[in-house]
Amino acid sequence: MKYLLVVAHPDDEVLGAGASIYKWTQNGDTVDVCIMSSEAKARAFRPEDKELDDDTHKAVASLGVKKLYEGTFPNIEMNTVPHLQLVQFIEKAILGSEPDIVITHHPADTNNDHLQTSMACQEAIRLFQRRPEVKPVKEFWYMEVPSCTEWAVNSAMQRFIPNCYVEVGKEGVDAKIMALAMYRGVMRPYPHPRSVEYIEGLAAVRGSQWGVGYAESYEIALRRY
Protein backbone atom coordinates (compact mmCIF):
# COMPACT_ATOMS: atom_id res chain seq x y z
CA MET A 1 0.00 0.00 0.00
CA LYS A 2 1.17 3.53 -0.76
CA TYR A 3 0.28 6.45 1.49
CA LEU A 4 0.72 10.18 0.92
CA LEU A 5 0.31 12.58 3.84
CA VAL A 6 -0.37 16.18 2.86
CA VAL A 7 0.21 18.54 5.77
CA ALA A 8 0.58 22.26 6.32
CA HIS A 9 3.69 22.39 8.52
CA PRO A 10 6.70 20.37 9.62
CA ASP A 11 5.66 18.18 12.59
CA ASP A 12 1.99 17.92 11.52
CA GLU A 13 2.77 14.60 9.84
CA VAL A 14 4.13 13.21 13.12
CA LEU A 15 1.46 14.72 15.35
CA GLY A 16 -1.34 13.40 13.16
CA ALA A 17 -0.02 10.05 12.01
CA GLY A 18 3.48 9.41 13.33
CA ALA A 19 2.71 6.07 14.97
CA SER A 20 0.75 4.88 11.93
CA ILE A 21 3.56 5.90 9.59
CA TYR A 22 5.99 3.87 11.68
CA LYS A 23 3.69 0.83 11.63
CA TRP A 24 3.07 1.05 7.88
CA THR A 25 6.73 1.41 6.93
CA GLN A 26 7.72 -1.39 9.31
CA ASN A 27 5.17 -3.58 7.51
CA GLY A 28 6.70 -2.75 4.11
CA ASP A 29 4.22 -0.11 2.97
CA THR A 30 5.42 3.11 1.32
CA VAL A 31 4.75 6.47 2.96
CA ASP A 32 5.53 9.85 1.38
CA VAL A 33 4.96 13.25 2.97
CA CYS A 34 4.07 16.58 1.34
CA ILE A 35 4.63 19.66 3.55
CA MET A 36 3.08 22.86 2.22
CA SER A 37 4.84 25.43 4.44
CA SER A 38 8.14 23.70 5.18
CA GLU A 39 9.86 26.87 6.42
CA ALA A 40 7.23 27.56 9.13
CA LYS A 41 8.42 31.15 9.44
CA ALA A 42 5.76 32.20 11.97
CA ARG A 43 6.39 29.32 14.39
CA ALA A 44 7.05 30.11 18.04
CA PHE A 45 10.40 28.82 19.34
CA ARG A 46 11.45 28.17 15.74
CA PRO A 47 15.08 27.07 15.24
CA GLU A 48 17.30 28.42 12.47
CA ASP A 49 16.45 27.51 8.86
CA LYS A 50 19.03 24.75 8.54
CA GLU A 51 18.15 23.37 11.95
CA LEU A 52 14.45 23.12 11.08
CA ASP A 53 15.29 21.49 7.76
CA ASP A 54 17.56 19.00 9.50
CA ASP A 55 14.90 18.31 12.14
CA THR A 56 12.28 17.63 9.49
CA HIS A 57 14.41 15.21 7.54
CA LYS A 58 15.58 13.37 10.67
CA ALA A 59 12.05 13.07 12.04
CA VAL A 60 10.47 11.64 8.90
CA ALA A 61 13.47 9.39 8.26
CA SER A 62 13.12 7.91 11.75
CA LEU A 63 9.59 6.86 10.84
CA GLY A 64 10.64 5.36 7.51
CA VAL A 65 9.20 7.98 5.15
CA LYS A 66 10.44 7.39 1.62
CA LYS A 67 10.00 10.74 -0.11
CA LEU A 68 9.47 14.28 1.15
CA TYR A 69 7.89 17.07 -0.91
CA GLU A 70 8.58 20.51 0.57
CA GLY A 71 6.66 23.64 -0.39
CA THR A 72 7.48 27.19 0.68
CA PHE A 73 4.00 28.64 0.98
CA PRO A 74 3.72 31.37 3.68
CA ASN A 75 3.09 30.21 7.23
CA ILE A 76 -0.32 31.25 8.65
CA GLU A 77 -0.87 33.13 5.39
CA MET A 78 -1.78 30.30 3.06
CA ASN A 79 -5.19 31.94 2.65
CA THR A 80 -3.37 34.70 0.71
CA VAL A 81 -2.10 32.20 -1.88
CA PRO A 82 -4.26 31.49 -4.95
CA HIS A 83 -6.08 28.22 -4.34
CA LEU A 84 -4.92 26.87 -7.69
CA GLN A 85 -1.27 27.13 -6.66
CA LEU A 86 -1.88 25.04 -3.58
CA VAL A 87 -3.82 22.47 -5.59
CA GLN A 88 -1.16 22.20 -8.27
CA PHE A 89 1.61 21.66 -5.73
CA ILE A 90 -0.31 18.78 -4.16
CA GLU A 91 -1.07 17.38 -7.61
CA LYS A 92 2.66 17.20 -8.31
CA ALA A 93 3.12 15.20 -5.12
CA ILE A 94 0.28 12.87 -6.12
CA LEU A 95 1.85 12.36 -9.54
CA GLY A 96 5.21 11.56 -7.98
CA SER A 97 3.91 9.40 -5.17
CA GLU A 98 1.05 7.56 -6.93
CA PRO A 99 -0.66 6.88 -3.59
CA ASP A 100 -3.49 4.50 -2.83
CA ILE A 101 -4.46 6.53 0.23
CA VAL A 102 -4.13 10.29 0.76
CA ILE A 103 -4.34 11.68 4.29
CA THR A 104 -4.65 15.34 5.26
CA HIS A 105 -6.04 17.73 7.88
CA HIS A 106 -9.70 17.82 8.84
CA PRO A 107 -11.37 20.92 7.31
CA ALA A 108 -12.90 21.97 10.65
CA ASP A 109 -9.44 22.34 12.16
CA THR A 110 -9.06 25.79 13.72
CA ASN A 111 -5.62 26.38 12.16
CA ASN A 112 -6.22 28.28 8.92
CA ASP A 113 -3.23 26.75 7.13
CA HIS A 114 -4.64 23.32 7.97
CA LEU A 115 -7.98 24.36 6.50
CA GLN A 116 -6.39 25.67 3.30
CA THR A 117 -4.33 22.51 2.93
CA SER A 118 -7.40 20.34 3.42
CA MET A 119 -9.47 22.25 0.88
CA ALA A 120 -6.68 22.15 -1.70
CA CYS A 121 -6.17 18.44 -1.11
CA GLN A 122 -9.87 17.76 -1.63
CA GLU A 123 -9.50 19.29 -5.08
CA ALA A 124 -6.16 17.70 -5.92
CA ILE A 125 -7.34 14.12 -5.39
CA ARG A 126 -9.72 14.65 -8.33
CA LEU A 127 -6.77 14.97 -10.71
CA PHE A 128 -7.61 11.62 -12.34
CA GLN A 129 -10.87 13.12 -13.65
CA ARG A 130 -8.94 15.70 -15.64
CA ARG A 131 -6.09 13.41 -16.62
CA PRO A 132 -7.20 9.85 -17.36
CA GLU A 133 -3.63 8.52 -17.27
CA VAL A 134 -3.35 9.42 -13.58
CA LYS A 135 -3.89 6.63 -11.06
CA PRO A 136 -7.01 7.38 -8.93
CA VAL A 137 -6.62 7.28 -5.16
CA LYS A 138 -8.55 4.53 -3.39
CA GLU A 139 -9.20 6.36 -0.15
CA PHE A 140 -9.09 9.90 1.27
CA TRP A 141 -8.68 10.32 5.04
CA TYR A 142 -8.68 13.16 7.56
CA MET A 143 -6.40 12.98 10.60
CA GLU A 144 -6.42 14.70 13.98
CA VAL A 145 -3.56 16.99 15.01
CA PRO A 146 -3.32 17.56 18.78
CA SER A 147 -3.65 21.22 19.81
CA CYS A 148 -5.52 22.07 16.59
CA THR A 149 -8.20 19.58 15.57
CA GLU A 150 -9.89 19.55 18.97
CA TRP A 151 -10.26 23.35 18.73
CA ALA A 152 -13.11 23.01 16.24
CA VAL A 153 -14.90 26.10 17.51
CA ASN A 154 -16.79 26.87 14.30
CA SER A 155 -20.13 25.21 15.02
CA ALA A 156 -21.16 25.64 11.39
CA MET A 157 -18.67 22.92 10.41
CA GLN A 158 -18.86 19.28 11.43
CA ARG A 159 -16.17 18.25 13.87
CA PHE A 160 -13.68 15.44 13.34
CA ILE A 161 -15.55 12.15 13.82
CA PRO A 162 -13.22 9.13 13.67
CA ASN A 163 -14.41 6.07 11.79
CA CYS A 164 -11.07 4.36 11.24
CA TYR A 165 -8.58 3.20 13.86
CA VAL A 166 -5.01 2.07 13.20
CA GLU A 167 -3.60 -0.10 15.98
CA VAL A 168 -0.06 1.14 16.58
CA GLY A 169 1.08 -0.49 19.82
CA LYS A 170 3.35 1.06 22.43
CA GLU A 171 6.27 0.75 20.00
CA GLY A 172 4.48 2.99 17.53
CA VAL A 173 3.63 5.57 20.18
CA ASP A 174 7.25 5.60 21.34
CA ALA A 175 8.45 6.07 17.75
CA LYS A 176 6.02 8.98 17.35
CA ILE A 177 7.25 10.67 20.53
CA MET A 178 10.87 10.15 19.51
CA ALA A 179 10.20 11.73 16.10
CA LEU A 180 8.42 14.69 17.71
CA ALA A 181 11.38 15.21 20.03
CA MET A 182 13.57 15.64 16.95
CA TYR A 183 11.68 18.87 16.18
CA ARG A 184 13.32 21.50 18.35
CA GLY A 185 10.84 23.75 20.17
CA VAL A 186 7.71 21.70 19.41
CA MET A 187 7.05 19.63 22.55
CA ARG A 188 5.57 21.24 25.66
CA PRO A 189 5.12 20.21 29.31
CA TYR A 190 1.86 18.55 30.37
CA PRO A 191 -1.04 19.37 30.19
CA HIS A 192 -0.29 20.90 26.78
CA PRO A 193 -1.63 18.71 23.92
CA ARG A 194 1.91 18.48 22.54
CA SER A 195 3.26 16.82 25.65
CA VAL A 196 4.41 13.23 26.01
CA GLU A 197 1.60 12.50 28.46
CA TYR A 198 -1.09 13.82 26.12
CA ILE A 199 0.27 11.97 23.07
CA GLU A 200 0.35 8.71 25.02
CA GLY A 201 -3.07 9.38 26.55
CA LEU A 202 -4.76 10.15 23.25
CA ALA A 203 -3.36 6.96 21.72
CA ALA A 204 -4.68 5.01 24.71
CA VAL A 205 -8.12 6.60 24.43
CA ARG A 206 -8.34 5.95 20.70
CA GLY A 207 -7.16 2.40 21.26
CA SER A 208 -9.74 1.74 23.95
CA GLN A 209 -12.48 2.98 21.63
CA TRP A 210 -11.65 0.09 19.33
CA GLY A 211 -10.60 -2.52 21.85
CA VAL A 212 -6.83 -2.31 21.46
CA GLY A 213 -4.02 -0.90 23.58
CA TYR A 214 -2.97 2.09 21.45
CA ALA A 215 -4.29 3.53 18.20
CA GLU A 216 -4.42 6.60 15.99
CA SER A 217 -7.79 7.57 14.58
CA TYR A 218 -8.88 8.93 11.23
CA GLU A 219 -12.03 9.92 9.41
CA ILE A 220 -12.40 8.25 6.03
CA ALA A 221 -14.08 10.83 3.81
CA LEU A 222 -14.02 8.91 0.53
CA ARG A 223 -13.46 5.31 -0.49
CA ARG A 224 -13.22 4.00 -4.03
CA TYR A 225 -13.01 0.30 -4.91
Side-chain angles (χ1 to χ4, degrees):
M1 192 73 73
K2 291 184 177 182
Y3 298 84
L4 173 65
L5 273 83
V6 181
V7 300
H9 313 111
D11 78 12
D12 287 337
E13 76 290 347
V14 184
L15 284 164
S20 300
I21 294 172
Y22 181 78
K23 174 180 179 175
W24 292 328
T25 60
Q26 289 293 300
N27 288 344
D29 295 321
T30 299
V31 180
D32 295 335
V33 172
C34 173
I35 302 176
M36 304 298 286
S37 182
S38 62
E39 296 176 341
K41 292 288 188 182
R43 171 169 293 175
F45 311 109
R46 181 187 184 276
E48 297 296 321
D49 290 353
K50 186 179 184 308
E51 291 176 333
L52 177 57
D53 188 61
D54 288 345
D55 292 352
T56 303
H57 284 82
K58 287 177 182 177
V60 299
S62 74
L63 297 175
V65 170
K66 181 179 180 182
K67 190 179 295 184
L68 183 61
Y69 302 89
E70 297 179 273
T72 57
F73 296 104
N75 189 196
I76 316 300
E77 295 181 354
M78 283 174 58
N79 60 303
T80 67
V81 178
H83 179 69
L84 181 60
Q85 291 183 22
L86 302 176
V87 172
Q88 290 176 336
F89 184 79
I90 298 171
E91 287 177 342
K92 289 179 182 178
I94 290 174
L95 288 170
S97 181
E98 297 186 325
D100 299 300
I101 297 175
V102 173
I103 304 172
T104 193
H105 300 281
H106 191 275
D109 194 315
T110 194
N111 184 295
N112 191 262
D113 281 357
H114 293 188
L115 168 62
Q116 301 303 323
T117 298
S118 181
M119 298 299 289
C121 202
Q122 292 172 40
E123 181 69 25
I125 61 168
R126 299 173 55 231
L127 179 61
F128 73 94
Q129 291 185 323
R130 300 187 293 279
R131 296 179 55 177
E133 77 278 9
V134 174
K135 169 187 169 181
V137 301
K138 292 182 178 178
E139 297 184 9
F140 180 52
W141 299 7
Y142 297 131
M143 63 182 183
E144 59 178 337
V145 175
S147 80
C148 292
T149 308
E150 70 270 26
W151 282 88
V153 296
N154 184 351
S155 60
M157 299 184 73
Q158 174 138 339
R159 289 173 175 264
F160 174 80
I161 302 177
N163 57 17
C164 172
Y165 296 81
V166 176
E167 183 179 4
V168 296
K170 187 61 164 61
E171 182 182 5
V173 177
D174 290 343
K176 174 175 184 167
I177 291 171
M178 182 179 71
L180 282 173
M182 294 178 183
Y183 278 111
R184 279 166 273 199
V186 166
M187 297 297 281
R188 302 283 190 275
Y190 185 78
H192 194 281
R194 296 191 179 191
S195 63
V196 171
E197 294 87 347
Y198 185 95
I199 298 296
E200 290 179 340
L202 180 61
V205 167
R206 292 311 191 193
S208 68
Q209 290 174 343
W210 205 242
V212 299
Y214 297 93
E216 286 179 324
S217 65
Y218 303 88
E219 183 175 339
I220 300 178
L222 293 172
R223 175 175 283 161
R224 177 185 186 274
Y225 283 104

